[in-house]
């Protein structure tokens, strides 16, 4: 489930107002994706070091 961060989104209760996608932030982010994006380079580095050490 995405977690809203509320950057540049304006008032969602006004449906008649259009928002320019050029100047708005993301609607939210997925915490699992953030952990995955952090963990993959760290695991790759550890695997590389383990291979170089052997």
């Amino acid at each position: 489930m995405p977690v809203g961060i509320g950057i540049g989104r304006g008032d969602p209760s006004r449906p008649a107002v259009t928002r320019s996608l050029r100047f708005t932030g993301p609607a939210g982010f997925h915490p699992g994706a953030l952990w995955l994006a952090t963990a993959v380079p760290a695991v790759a580095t550890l695997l590389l070091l383990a291979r170089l050490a052997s």
Side-chain angles (χ1 to χ4, degrees), residues 3-10 26-28:
V3 178
I5 57 176
I7 296 176
R9 283 300 182 188

Side-chain angles (χ1 to χ4, degrees), residues 2-23:
V3 178
I5 57 176
I7 296 176
R9 283 300 182 188
D11 186 7
S13 64
R14 299 185 314 180
V17 176
T18 59
R19 295 178 294 192
S20 170
L21 294 178
R22 183 176 176 189
F23 298 109

Side-chain angles (χ1 to χ4, degrees), residues 19-36:
R19 295 178 294 192
S20 170
L21 294 178
R22 183 176 176 189
F23 298 109
T24 58
F29 68 95
H30 193 282
L34 184 63
W35 277 104
L36 185 63

